[in-house]
Amino acid sequence: MSKRYAFVKEKQCVACGACENVCPRGAIRVFRGCYAAVDDSLCVGCGLCEKVCPANAVSIRDRNDEKLGIECSLEDKARGVCPMCRDLVTSIPYTPEIPMPKLSGRKKR
């Protein structure tokens, strides 16, 4: 299984089929004319669907983030913004010299 996969924001998807047409593995299909759905077992995270999506509804994510319960996309990471923890983001930019605080607590099962 690849390290990355495509994720579709269903509410943002316009079901145009562009992603379905470009996917080399046939991992993405438009579901009942409503929105695109990704078969995670077939997706290799190549990013072609993300590039052709006119509605910007497709993003590429790390599978490791999924296991940790993090909903950040690679684009969010590159910009330093996480939509799930937006309240935790401060005006101080991250620099390698200043370590990020470690989260404590147990993992949810």
Side-chain angles (χ1 to χ4, degrees):
M1 201 173 265
S2 66
K3 292 182 180 181
R4 302 178 339 152
Y5 71 102
F7 176 80
V8 178
K9 299 169 197 153
E10 295 173 5
K11 291 182 180 179
Q12 202 169 331
C13 180
V14 295
C16 67
C19 55
E20 184 177 5
N21 293 334
V22 75
C23 183
R25 302 281 308 252
I28 191 164
R29 301 255 180 226
V30 175
F31 180 73
R32 296 185 180 181
C34 298
Y35 57 85
V38 179
D39 183 345
D40 291 344
S41 65
L42 296 175
C43 183
V44 293
C46 66
L48 293 175
C49 54
E50 180 181 38
K51 290 178 184 174
V52 299
C53 182
N56 293 322
V58 183
S59 60
I60 302 299
R61 294 186 172 178
D62 283 338
R63 289 189 197 271
N64 291 338
D65 290 349
E66 180 184 82
K67 291 176 188 172
L68 296 172
I70 301 170
E71 296 293 328
C72 305
S73 70
L74 296 176
E75 181 181 290
D76 293 334
K77 287 181 183 180
R79 289 184 297 142
V81 178
C82 173
M84 297 301 288
C85 6
R86 192 174 312 264
D87 296 335
L88 299 175
V89 177
T90 65
S91 60
I92 303 169
Y94 170 74
T95 58
E97 296 83 30
I98 303 170
M100 294 297 284
K102 294 192 186 322
L103 298 175
S104 61
R106 293 185 184 187
K107 291 183 182 177
K108 294 181 181 178
R109 289 188 181 212

